[in-house]
Amino acid sequence: MGSALLKGWLAGGVKSITVVEPKPSAELRKLAKQKKIALLAAPSQVTKAPAVCLVAIKPQILKGEAPALAVFAQSSAKKQGALMISIAAGTSVAALAKAWGKKARIVRAMPNTPGAIGQGITGLYAAKGVTPADRRKAASLLSALGATEWVDKERLIDSVTAVSGSGPAYLFLMAEALTEAGVAEGLPRAQAEKFARATVTGAGALLAADKAPAAALREAVTSPGGTTAAALAVLMAKDGLTPLMKRAVKAARKRAQELR
């Protein structure tokens, strides 16, 4: 996500970017050289106080690294601390404030991987002390990945994580499963995968383009007594896709809470 954001910001004309990465990839080093981005190995090497600090660190690593970022978050009589934006799943405002100080202005964000092509969506939550200007800045920066949506309770970020943060994997699994079903019905694997991928991506594009509810689009495909109706009778049974998806999303949300 950090790389996707960086590319989105550069494409959008954002300037004065500093990246702190102790083990930069060859791609990041090349990008930094081409775009004249300051690439540093540690927070202690940052000499100019940033206006925004976006923290793209995995939650298990952030627990140990968060205190090193406190210098950016803290305000003094002479300067205001940076707006701190964390995209770490399951890492609460309380945990971040413990590392960064009670007066730190913290936004939690949960993007998803389609943001790498500008087709993602990011859920945002603003902690106490975040100003309207901060909210606009956070939304503007995360819009590099696609749409943004604010939630008014922190616990809902875990739900966003379970629905859209993890959600792309559910759709990729659907494409896998549809491929296997096609193979089981006699299609060569290469063709089954081609049909499955095109169906999933095409349906997603139609869902984005047509503002009708998903249920209405489903009904439009379904002729009474037809082939789609026969398949949906299985998928919409009491033990079908909806209860299965509810259990899956609940498990993801529970895991997000356990990461705290």
Side-chain angles (χ1 to χ4, degrees), residues 157-171:
I157 282 290
D158 292 333
S159 299
V160 171
T161 301
V163 172
S164 65
S166 300
Y170 314 155
L171 274 296

Side-chain angles (χ1 to χ4, degrees), residues 104-201:
R105 292 156 25 250
I106 300 171
V107 169
R108 286 189 60 192
M110 179 46 56
N112 61 4
T113 55
I117 58 170
Q119 296 296 313
I121 186 167
T122 300
L124 295 158
Y125 169 75
K128 184 179 179 180
V130 172
T131 68
D134 289 335
R135 289 170 65 102
R136 290 191 295 272
K137 175 63 73 174
S140 175
L141 289 171
L142 271 301
S143 67
L145 300 176
T148 58
E149 186 76 17
W150 290 92
V151 297
D152 59 5
K153 295 178 182 178
E154 185 179 8
R155 63 178 176 79
L156 294 179
I157 282 290
D158 292 333
S159 299
V160 171
T161 301
V163 172
S164 65
S166 300
Y170 314 155
L171 274 296
F172 300 150
L173 178 59
M174 174 65 78
E176 290 181 62
L178 198 53
T179 297
E180 294 302 325
V183 171
E185 294 303 318
L187 283 170
R189 179 168 295 279
Q191 282 192 321
E193 182 173 6
K194 187 173 183 178
F195 281 118
R197 288 175 70 107
T199 298
V200 171
T201 57

Side-chain angles (χ1 to χ4, degrees), residues 156-260:
L156 294 179
I157 282 290
D158 292 333
S159 299
V160 171
T161 301
V163 172
S164 65
S166 300
Y170 314 155
L171 274 296
F172 300 150
L173 178 59
M174 174 65 78
E176 290 181 62
L178 198 53
T179 297
E180 294 302 325
V183 171
E185 294 303 318
L187 283 170
R189 179 168 295 279
Q191 282 192 321
E193 182 173 6
K194 187 173 183 178
F195 281 118
R197 288 175 70 107
T199 298
V200 171
T201 57
L206 178 59
L207 189 64
D210 194 320
K211 301 307 178 185
L217 296 177
R218 168 179 55 77
E219 291 166 358
V221 182
T222 310
S223 300
T227 58
T228 306
L232 290 177
V234 176
L235 292 173
M236 298 177 72
K238 288 185 178 180
D239 61 346
L241 184 60
T242 297
L244 178 63
M245 189 59 70
K246 286 181 178 179
R247 294 199 303 273
V249 170
K250 184 176 182 178
R253 179 186 56 77
K254 183 179 179 182
R255 181 56 182 153
Q257 293 174 330
E258 292 170 351
L259 290 172
R260 293 175 183 167

